[in-house]
Amino acid sequence: MSSLLIRNARIAREDGSTLAGDVYCESGLIRRIDSHLSVNADETIDAAGHLLLPGVIDPHVHFREPGKEYKEDLASGSRAAARGGVTSFLEMPNTTPATVDQVTLDDKLARAARASVVNYGFFIGATPRNLEALNDAGPACGIKIFMGCSTGDLLVSADEDLERIFANGTRPIGVHAEDDARLHERRKRFSGRTDPAVHSEIRDNESAVIATRKALALSKKYRRRLHILHMSTREEVELLRREKPAWVRAEVIPNHLLLDTSEYARQGARVQMNPPIRSREDNEALWQALRDGIIDFLATDHAPHTLAEKDRPYPEAPSGMPGVETALPLMLTQVRAGRCTLADIQKWMCRGPAEAYGIANKGRIAIGYDADLALVDVDTHRPVRNDELYTRAAWSPYEGQELIGWPLCTIVGGRIVYEGGRIREGVRGQALRFGPTSDRPAA
């Protein structure tokens, strides 16, 4: 039975205020919170007045294991997560082999149990042929549907296949919403263009809207829980303003809030991703949707590739960027800039993902909750440096940007995982469990 005492912290409250005080953790749970605690513990941290937040839950990462471990694996990805104040992650199924049944899911769970320093959960990937596994394999946080131009077998674009998946089962469905037919047509139309900026023209706003509209219609028809992943367009925002039912959730990532198509001139294919970066008007529409509650939570879509791969000419370069260890500093820097609040950060990055996926006891600093915590420095600006990153990809599109909010200490289950710029060896996270959500559609 281990115990940890955090002294002299500015403890974040859900309303955005802070309490100067101490937090006592025992057996993996938060047991006491007060302005001063007279208690002994196995280990004590002097927070020195720094900000204590709930650990971030990143509900959308690609850690590449099995199959592409040279880009990332569960060990390196989870260490990058811990360095970024992320204490739990949900990982996507497009590995090699893909996570499409109980055997491949069990393999990932066993790999994570051996390697991951933070808590972990996994999506199961939809194909046109694995309906039984989609509903029975577990534990799984949800079903992932790639609606357009996926690699391998993870493409579900035919209307009859989509309808069958939405009509059967109760698990949340997360969609990568880009219309496959439109993407193929536009690839032909723009063939011959080799400037990376054409990527955002091929995968245009309408490609996203068509797919999101289709998924939303199926969700409403069958009252099926739907998560629209990495939403990227102002048109999708307006669609959800008009038609979003209580059981639909939307996710956005920092890249679609903070990067726009002008970045292609500076970074080329390094900022190529799916769905792509878009206009500043799209950026602002997404920010407003977050503030208004149209978008519910943030993720990173951490999708690492090596710089050698990303520096290939378009269209040979793969899509995706790292992001798991920079998301919290990026967003806390936006708090300092006045674009959002500390209450927003907790809602979007901690409590919101926990509620969306039915992850009990996480996302809050409260007595009885899991002691998953991040102590961060919001007073000191430090640049993003590629040579300091823990991701195996070892680069960031935000290199050189001065950010606040870098974690000083990350705590998982009441145990210090990251402190003083180093990972503590021997600590492992736990497999997440997924229960009902408060807004599950009525039968």
Side-chain angles (χ1 to χ4, degrees):
M1 184 171 66
S2 62
S3 57
L4 175 70
L5 178 62
I6 305 165
R7 288 202 181 279
N8 306 318
R10 279 192 293 140
I11 305 163
R13 291 169 161 164
E14 289 184 17
D15 63 2
S17 64
T18 59
L19 168 69
D22 305 342
V23 177
Y24 176 69
C25 311
E26 185 181 64
S27 301
L29 300 177
I30 298 170
R31 299 293 190 181
R32 297 175 66 183
I33 303 170
D34 209 334
S35 56
H36 179 75
L37 293 173
S38 297
V39 61
N40 294 319
D42 297 328
E43 188 164 12
T44 299
I45 298 170
D46 183 358
H50 290 297
L51 179 65
L52 187 67
L53 289 168
V56 170
I57 300 172
D58 188 342
H60 189 154
V61 302
H62 301 264
F63 283 167
R64 306 303 190 196
E65 182 180 354
K68 296 289 194 305
E69 287 90 341
Y70 72 93
K71 301 175 193 273
E72 194 81 280
D73 60 23
L74 289 162
S76 64
S78 68
R79 282 160 170 74
R83 195 239 175 178
V86 174
T87 54
S88 299
F89 66 81
L90 304 180
E91 207 260 353
M92 290 296 163
N94 55 327
T95 47
T96 307
T99 316
V100 295
D101 54 26
Q102 191 67 58
V103 171
T104 48
L105 177 60
D106 284 344
D107 177 63
K108 271 195 178 175
L109 287 163
R111 289 168 180 265
R114 292 191 297 268
S116 181
V117 302
V118 301
N119 304 312
Y120 49 88
F122 299 100
F123 282 83
I124 189 158
T127 78
R129 297 169 295 280
N130 71 334
L131 180 62
E132 184 176 347
L134 292 183
N135 294 319
D136 295 343
C141 59
I143 296 165
K144 174 66 177 289
I145 299 179
F146 291 88
M147 297 177 71
C149 289
S150 173
T151 56
D153 295 329
L154 293 179
L155 172 65
V156 183
S157 58
D159 289 348
E160 60 269 24
D161 294 329
L162 289 165
E163 185 114 12
R164 185 170 61 254
I165 294 168
F166 273 87
N168 293 278
T170 60
R171 274 187 176 153
I173 294 173
V175 293
H176 180 128
E178 292 184 285
D179 183 69
D180 195 58
R182 185 173 177 87
L183 294 183
H184 280 290
E185 181 274 324
R186 291 181 70 78
R187 279 180 172 174
K188 293 177 182 177
R189 177 178 170 185
F190 290 95
S191 64
R193 287 266 305 272
T194 58
D195 53 305
V198 75
H199 192 70
S200 291
E201 296 182 61
I202 293 170
R203 307 180 88 104
D204 67 342
N205 287 31
E206 186 63 18
S207 299
V209 174
I210 291 170
T212 294
R213 187 180 296 117
K214 182 182 295 187
L216 184 60
L218 287 168
S219 173
K220 292 166 75 173
K221 179 177 180 179
Y222 294 106
R223 299 182 69 81
R224 184 66 180 269
R225 183 63 182 264
L226 171 67
H227 295 175
I228 301 164
L229 306 180
H230 43 42
M231 206 167 79
S232 63
T233 73
R234 57 192 183 277
E235 291 88 349
E236 289 169 289
V237 166
E238 292 311 311
L239 174 64
L240 291 192
R241 283 190 190 279
R242 296 190 305 268
E243 300 187 27
K244 183 185 177 190
W247 59 85
V248 170
R249 289 286 177 269
E251 166 196 287
V252 71
I253 69 174
N255 295 342
H256 288 132
L257 297 171
L258 301 173
L259 302 178
D260 62 69
T261 51
S262 67
E263 286 292 321
Y264 286 119
R266 189 171 70 89
Q267 301 200 59
R270 292 191 185 189
V271 292
Q272 175 189 325
M273 63 176 297
N274 304 329
I277 57 174
R278 303 199 185 275
S279 72
R280 292 178 183 176
E281 290 78 14
D282 291 302
N283 297 157
E284 290 308 314
L286 294 167
W287 271 111
Q288 193 59 50
L290 261 175
R291 298 184 195 104
D292 294 344
I294 304 301
I295 297 175
D296 301 278
F297 55 88
L298 274 95
T300 67
D301 192 13
H302 174 84
H305 302 282
T306 68
L307 277 178
E309 291 171 321
K310 292 296 285 184
D311 289 342
R312 292 173 186 165
Y314 187 85
E316 296 176 25
S319 293
M321 293 180 258
V324 72
E325 64 194 292
T326 54
L328 182 57
L330 282 167
M331 295 306 296
L332 288 171
T333 302
Q334 296 304 305
V335 172
R336 178 66 57 85
R339 301 190 81 171
C340 53
T341 68
L342 186 58
D344 291 331
I345 297 301
Q346 294 177 84
K347 177 182 177 184
W348 299 339
M349 303 184 77
C350 309
R351 188 169 72 253
E355 292 173 350
Y357 288 96
I359 306 170
N361 256 46
K362 294 191 185 293
R364 289 178 164 89
I365 300 180
I367 292 172
Y369 270 68
D370 292 346
D372 296 341
L373 303 162
L375 183 69
V376 301
D377 181 356
V378 294
D379 301 314
T380 306
H381 284 81
R382 292 185 56 230
V384 179
R385 297 186 186 278
N386 285 351
D387 60 3
E388 294 179 353
L389 296 174
Y390 280 36
T391 172
R392 185 161 290 161
W395 68 276
S396 168
Y398 302 99
E399 185 186 21
Q401 288 197 26
E402 296 277 344
L403 305 178
I404 64 167
W406 291 100
L408 302 167
C409 181
T410 302
I411 297 159
V412 176
R415 301 179 69 188
I416 298 171
V417 172
Y418 171 82
E419 184 184 36
R422 300 182 65 182
I423 295 291
R424 283 200 185 179
E425 298 302 327
V427 178
R428 292 293 179 267
Q430 300 294 315
L432 297 169
R433 297 288 170 173
F434 310 100
T437 57
S438 59
D439 55 357
R440 188 177 294 276

